[in-house]
Amino acid sequence: MSEQQTVTDQHLKVSVDNGVMTIQFNRPQALNAVTREVILALDEAIERAATEARAVVITGDERSFCSGADLAGAANSSGGGGGVGLDVVNALIRKIRDLQVPTVAAVSGPAAGVGCSLALICDYVVMSENSYLMLAFTRIGLMPDGGATALVAASAGRHRALRMALTAEKVKAPTALEWGLASEVASADTYLQRAQEIATTFAQGPTLSLGITEAAINQAALSELDAALDRELEGQATLSATADFKEGVQAFLQKRTAKFEGK
Protein backbone atom coordinates (compact mmCIF):
# COMPACT_ATOMS: atom_id res chain seq x y z
CA MET A 1 0.00 0.00 0.00
CA SER A 2 1.47 3.35 -0.99
CA GLU A 3 1.49 6.45 1.14
CA GLN A 4 -1.78 8.40 1.42
CA GLN A 5 -3.73 5.55 -0.13
CA THR A 6 -6.92 4.47 1.62
CA VAL A 7 -8.63 1.10 1.23
CA THR A 8 -12.15 0.68 2.60
CA ASP A 9 -14.24 -2.49 2.81
CA GLN A 10 -17.08 -3.74 4.98
CA HIS A 11 -14.65 -4.59 7.77
CA LEU A 12 -11.95 -1.93 7.97
CA LYS A 13 -10.66 1.34 6.59
CA VAL A 14 -6.89 1.18 6.19
CA SER A 15 -4.69 4.08 5.14
CA VAL A 16 -0.99 4.91 5.20
CA ASP A 17 0.24 8.50 5.45
CA ASN A 18 3.89 9.41 6.03
CA GLY A 19 4.68 6.01 7.47
CA VAL A 20 1.65 5.88 9.80
CA MET A 21 -0.88 3.15 9.07
CA THR A 22 -4.34 4.00 10.44
CA ILE A 23 -6.65 1.00 10.84
CA GLN A 24 -10.26 1.94 11.52
CA PHE A 25 -13.06 -0.48 12.35
CA ASN A 26 -15.85 -0.01 9.82
CA ARG A 27 -19.01 -1.42 11.40
CA PRO A 28 -20.58 1.71 12.93
CA GLN A 29 -24.05 0.18 12.75
CA ALA A 30 -22.90 -2.43 15.28
CA LEU A 31 -20.74 -0.12 17.44
CA ASN A 32 -17.79 -1.77 15.66
CA ALA A 33 -18.54 -5.19 17.14
CA VAL A 34 -16.19 -7.65 15.49
CA THR A 35 -16.88 -10.79 13.53
CA ARG A 36 -14.40 -13.49 12.55
CA GLU A 37 -14.03 -11.74 9.20
CA VAL A 38 -13.16 -8.43 10.87
CA ILE A 39 -10.48 -10.11 13.00
CA LEU A 40 -9.01 -11.79 9.92
CA ALA A 41 -8.97 -8.48 8.05
CA LEU A 42 -7.25 -6.80 11.00
CA ASP A 43 -4.71 -9.63 11.13
CA GLU A 44 -3.95 -9.05 7.45
CA ALA A 45 -3.51 -5.31 8.03
CA ILE A 46 -1.10 -5.94 10.91
CA GLU A 47 0.82 -8.33 8.67
CA ARG A 48 1.20 -5.55 6.11
CA ALA A 49 2.19 -3.05 8.77
CA ALA A 50 5.30 -5.08 9.54
CA THR A 51 6.78 -4.05 6.19
CA GLU A 52 4.71 -1.05 5.07
CA ALA A 53 4.44 1.14 8.18
CA ARG A 54 6.67 2.77 10.78
CA ALA A 55 3.81 3.22 13.28
CA VAL A 56 0.21 2.05 13.55
CA VAL A 57 -2.98 3.65 14.88
CA ILE A 58 -5.97 1.39 15.62
CA THR A 59 -9.26 3.24 16.09
CA GLY A 60 -13.01 3.11 15.68
CA ASP A 61 -15.37 6.03 15.14
CA GLU A 62 -16.79 8.78 17.33
CA ARG A 63 -19.35 6.46 18.94
CA SER A 64 -17.26 3.37 19.60
CA PHE A 65 -13.78 1.93 19.47
CA CYS A 66 -15.00 -1.68 19.52
CA SER A 67 -17.93 -3.03 21.51
CA GLY A 68 -16.61 -6.60 21.52
CA ALA A 69 -17.64 -9.69 19.63
CA ASP A 70 -20.80 -9.57 17.56
CA LEU A 71 -23.13 -11.85 19.53
CA ALA A 72 -25.55 -12.54 16.70
CA GLY A 73 -23.98 -15.96 16.09
CA ALA A 74 -22.73 -16.57 19.59
CA ALA A 75 -25.51 -18.95 20.62
CA ASN A 76 -24.29 -21.44 18.04
CA SER A 77 -20.56 -20.94 18.68
CA SER A 78 -18.19 -23.36 20.37
CA GLY A 79 -14.74 -22.56 21.66
CA GLY A 80 -15.60 -19.11 22.97
CA GLY A 81 -14.98 -15.77 21.37
CA GLY A 82 -18.68 -14.98 21.02
CA GLY A 83 -18.89 -16.53 17.55
CA VAL A 84 -15.62 -14.92 16.43
CA GLY A 85 -13.40 -17.83 17.42
CA LEU A 86 -10.52 -17.56 19.84
CA ASP A 87 -8.17 -19.20 17.37
CA VAL A 88 -8.14 -16.08 15.19
CA VAL A 89 -8.38 -13.68 18.14
CA ASN A 90 -5.39 -15.21 19.91
CA ALA A 91 -3.32 -15.25 16.73
CA LEU A 92 -4.06 -11.54 16.24
CA ILE A 93 -3.21 -10.59 19.82
CA ARG A 94 0.12 -12.38 19.53
CA LYS A 95 0.80 -10.72 16.17
CA ILE A 96 0.18 -7.22 17.55
CA ARG A 97 2.38 -7.97 20.58
CA ASP A 98 5.19 -9.26 18.37
CA LEU A 99 4.94 -6.45 15.81
CA GLN A 100 8.11 -4.41 16.26
CA VAL A 101 6.35 -1.31 14.99
CA PRO A 102 4.89 1.04 17.64
CA THR A 103 1.11 0.70 17.97
CA VAL A 104 -1.27 3.37 19.29
CA ALA A 105 -4.92 2.78 20.22
CA ALA A 106 -7.25 5.77 19.79
CA VAL A 107 -10.28 4.92 21.92
CA SER A 108 -13.71 6.52 21.85
CA GLY A 109 -16.93 5.23 23.35
CA PRO A 110 -16.71 1.61 24.53
CA ALA A 111 -13.68 -0.61 24.26
CA ALA A 112 -15.51 -3.65 25.56
CA GLY A 113 -14.82 -7.36 25.57
CA VAL A 114 -12.26 -8.24 22.95
CA GLY A 115 -12.26 -4.54 22.07
CA CYS A 116 -10.68 -3.88 25.48
CA SER A 117 -7.97 -6.42 24.69
CA LEU A 118 -7.33 -4.89 21.27
CA ALA A 119 -6.81 -1.50 22.91
CA LEU A 120 -4.60 -2.73 25.74
CA ILE A 121 -2.32 -4.86 23.56
CA CYS A 122 -1.23 -1.64 21.84
CA ASP A 123 1.93 0.07 23.08
CA TYR A 124 0.25 3.45 23.72
CA VAL A 125 -3.42 4.06 24.55
CA VAL A 126 -5.06 7.45 23.99
CA MET A 127 -8.60 7.55 25.38
CA SER A 128 -11.26 10.12 24.65
CA GLU A 129 -12.55 11.73 27.82
CA ASN A 130 -15.94 10.13 27.10
CA SER A 131 -14.64 6.60 26.49
CA TYR A 132 -14.48 3.59 28.77
CA LEU A 133 -13.05 0.07 29.08
CA MET A 134 -15.27 -2.85 30.00
CA LEU A 135 -15.00 -6.60 30.49
CA ALA A 136 -18.63 -7.67 30.16
CA PHE A 137 -18.07 -11.40 29.65
CA THR A 138 -19.63 -12.58 32.91
CA ARG A 139 -22.89 -10.95 31.88
CA ILE A 140 -23.29 -13.69 29.29
CA GLY A 141 -21.75 -16.50 31.34
CA LEU A 142 -18.25 -16.35 29.83
CA MET A 143 -14.81 -15.26 31.06
CA PRO A 144 -12.54 -12.51 29.70
CA ASP A 145 -10.54 -13.51 26.65
CA GLY A 146 -8.25 -11.99 24.04
CA GLY A 147 -5.53 -12.01 26.69
CA ALA A 148 -7.51 -9.68 28.96
CA THR A 149 -6.80 -11.76 32.06
CA ALA A 150 -3.09 -10.94 31.60
CA LEU A 151 -3.32 -7.52 29.93
CA VAL A 152 -5.49 -5.88 32.58
CA ALA A 153 -3.62 -7.45 35.50
CA ALA A 154 -0.25 -6.41 34.04
CA SER A 155 -1.31 -2.76 33.89
CA ALA A 156 -3.82 -2.36 36.71
CA GLY A 157 -2.97 -5.12 39.20
CA ARG A 158 -4.79 -8.23 40.39
CA HIS A 159 -7.62 -6.71 42.40
CA ARG A 160 -8.53 -4.12 39.78
CA ALA A 161 -8.45 -6.85 37.13
CA LEU A 162 -10.78 -8.96 39.27
CA ARG A 163 -13.02 -5.96 39.89
CA MET A 164 -13.35 -5.33 36.15
CA ALA A 165 -13.84 -8.99 35.27
CA LEU A 166 -16.27 -9.93 38.04
CA THR A 167 -18.44 -6.79 38.11
CA ALA A 168 -18.36 -5.91 34.38
CA GLU A 169 -18.28 -2.23 35.34
CA LYS A 170 -17.42 0.54 32.92
CA VAL A 171 -13.98 1.92 33.71
CA LYS A 172 -14.15 5.48 32.42
CA ALA A 173 -11.17 7.19 30.85
CA PRO A 174 -9.97 9.21 33.91
CA THR A 175 -10.07 6.06 36.06
CA ALA A 176 -8.38 4.01 33.33
CA LEU A 177 -5.56 6.56 33.30
CA GLU A 178 -5.27 6.45 37.09
CA TRP A 179 -5.16 2.63 37.02
CA GLY A 180 -2.46 2.50 34.36
CA LEU A 181 -4.74 1.18 31.62
CA ALA A 182 -4.33 4.30 29.46
CA SER A 183 -1.31 6.36 28.48
CA GLU A 184 -3.23 9.63 28.31
CA VAL A 185 -6.73 11.10 28.01
CA ALA A 186 -7.68 13.70 25.40
CA SER A 187 -10.87 15.57 24.58
CA ALA A 188 -13.52 13.96 22.43
CA ASP A 189 -12.60 16.37 19.65
CA THR A 190 -8.87 15.70 19.69
CA TYR A 191 -8.25 12.09 20.81
CA LEU A 192 -7.69 10.75 17.26
CA GLN A 193 -5.56 13.72 16.26
CA ARG A 194 -3.50 13.22 19.40
CA ALA A 195 -3.03 9.51 18.67
CA GLN A 196 -1.91 10.29 15.14
CA GLU A 197 0.51 12.94 16.41
CA ILE A 198 2.08 10.38 18.72
CA ALA A 199 2.25 7.80 15.93
CA THR A 200 3.85 10.36 13.61
CA THR A 201 6.48 11.11 16.24
CA PHE A 202 7.19 7.38 16.50
CA ALA A 203 7.31 7.02 12.70
CA GLN A 204 9.85 9.83 12.45
CA GLY A 205 11.99 8.35 15.22
CA PRO A 206 14.51 5.51 15.43
CA THR A 207 11.99 2.76 14.74
CA LEU A 208 14.51 -0.07 15.12
CA SER A 209 15.31 1.21 18.60
CA LEU A 210 11.63 1.72 19.42
CA GLY A 211 10.71 -1.77 18.21
CA ILE A 212 13.39 -3.54 20.21
CA THR A 213 12.50 -1.46 23.27
CA GLU A 214 8.79 -2.24 23.18
CA ALA A 215 9.53 -5.91 22.54
CA ALA A 216 11.76 -6.05 25.62
CA ILE A 217 9.18 -4.33 27.84
CA ASN A 218 6.37 -6.53 26.54
CA GLN A 219 8.44 -9.64 27.20
CA ALA A 220 9.00 -8.50 30.78
CA ALA A 221 5.50 -7.18 31.52
CA LEU A 222 3.47 -9.69 29.51
CA SER A 223 5.41 -12.87 30.26
CA GLU A 224 2.13 -14.58 31.19
CA LEU A 225 0.24 -13.57 28.05
CA ASP A 226 0.73 -16.80 26.09
CA ALA A 227 -0.28 -18.91 29.07
CA ALA A 228 -3.28 -16.64 29.66
CA LEU A 229 -4.42 -17.02 26.05
CA ASP A 230 -4.23 -20.80 26.40
CA ARG A 231 -6.15 -20.75 29.70
CA GLU A 232 -8.81 -18.49 28.23
CA LEU A 233 -9.18 -20.76 25.21
CA GLU A 234 -9.77 -23.76 27.49
CA GLY A 235 -12.05 -21.87 29.85
CA GLN A 236 -14.20 -20.40 27.09
CA ALA A 237 -14.57 -23.82 25.46
CA THR A 238 -15.99 -25.11 28.72
CA LEU A 239 -18.19 -22.10 29.42
CA SER A 240 -19.58 -21.79 25.90
CA ALA A 241 -21.13 -25.25 26.28
CA THR A 242 -23.09 -24.30 29.40
CA ALA A 243 -26.75 -23.44 29.83
CA ASP A 244 -25.71 -20.18 31.50
CA PHE A 245 -23.95 -19.04 28.32
CA LYS A 246 -26.96 -19.82 26.16
CA GLU A 247 -29.21 -17.98 28.60
CA GLY A 248 -26.80 -15.04 28.77
CA VAL A 249 -26.74 -14.59 25.01
CA GLN A 250 -30.51 -14.92 24.68
CA ALA A 251 -31.03 -12.39 27.46
CA PHE A 252 -28.60 -9.98 25.77
CA LEU A 253 -30.33 -10.30 22.40
CA GLN A 254 -33.76 -9.96 24.01
CA LYS A 255 -32.62 -7.01 26.15
CA ARG A 256 -33.64 -8.59 29.44
CA THR A 257 -31.94 -9.64 32.67
CA ALA A 258 -30.37 -13.08 32.45
CA LYS A 259 -31.48 -15.81 34.86
CA PHE A 260 -28.35 -17.82 35.59
CA GLU A 261 -28.47 -21.20 37.34
CA GLY A 262 -24.77 -21.97 37.61
CA LYS A 263 -24.82 -24.82 35.12
Side-chain angles (χ1 to χ4, degrees):
M1 185 181 299
S2 62
E3 289 195 345
Q4 299 183 341
Q5 180 180 355
T6 301
V7 175
T8 302
D9 64 19
Q10 69 270 37
H11 307 305
L12 301 172
K13 296 179 181 178
V14 182
S15 63
V16 179
D17 186 6
N18 293 322
V20 177
M21 176 179 283
T22 300
I23 304 171
Q24 181 180 4
F25 295 111
N26 191 33
R27 302 190 73 228
Q29 75 284 359
L31 292 177
N32 295 317
V34 296
T35 63
R36 186 180 184 91
E37 291 73 24
V38 173
I39 294 296
L40 289 171
L42 181 53
D43 185 275
E44 181 181 344
I46 294 297
E47 186 77 26
R48 294 201 307 269
T51 57
E52 299 178 15
R54 292 172 61 85
V56 175
V57 174
I58 301 177
T59 192
D61 55 41
E62 294 178 357
R63 294 177 61 218
S64 175
F65 175 76
C66 172
S67 59
D70 191 326
L71 291 179
N76 297 319
S77 73
S78 61
V84 175
L86 285 189
D87 54 345
V88 295
V89 170
N90 289 356
L92 173 62
I93 293 296
R94 288 184 169 105
K95 185 167 291 187
I96 296 174
R97 176 199 61 191
D98 295 339
L99 179 69
Q100 289 195 23
V101 172
T103 52
V104 181
V107 179
S108 59
V114 71
C116 182
S117 296
L118 289 171
L120 296 184
I121 194 60
C122 290
D123 302 317
Y124 203 101
V125 181
V126 179
M127 294 185 67
S128 162
E129 61 191 354
N130 298 324
S131 65
Y132 61 89
L133 305 175
M134 185 180 187
L135 298 178
F137 297 89
T138 56
R139 291 187 176 181
I140 58 169
L142 291 178
M143 65 176 290
D145 59 29
T149 57
L151 291 167
V152 176
S155 294
R158 171 174 172 257
H159 284 106
R160 285 169 173 167
L162 284 166
R163 174 174 165 178
M164 284 183 67
L166 299 180
T167 69
E169 71 175 289
K170 297 177 181 179
V171 178
K172 297 182 180 179
T175 301
L177 180 63
E178 177 188 347
W179 286 8
L181 294 168
S183 306
E184 60 180 88
V185 175
S187 71
D189 294 330
T190 64
Y191 77 96
L192 179 56
Q193 177 184 345
R194 178 60 183 151
Q196 290 175 328
E197 288 174 353
I198 293 164
T200 297
T201 298
F202 289 153
Q204 294 173 348
T207 52
L208 180 61
S209 169
L210 296 177
I212 291 176
T213 297
E214 58 99 350
I217 292 174
N218 283 338
Q219 186 174 0
L222 298 178
S223 59
E224 277 293 304
L225 180 59
D226 285 309
L229 291 168
D230 292 340
R231 284 191 294 267
E232 292 166 0
L233 181 64
E234 181 179 357
Q236 293 295 52
T238 298
L239 292 168
S240 64
T242 64
D244 274 353
F245 172 62
K246 294 178 181 177
E247 163 62 14
V249 171
Q250 288 302 313
F252 175 84
L253 296 175
Q254 296 168 8
K255 295 180 171 49
R256 61 175 174 81
T257 301
K259 299 179 180 179
F260 294 121
E261 298 182 2
K263 59 182 181 180

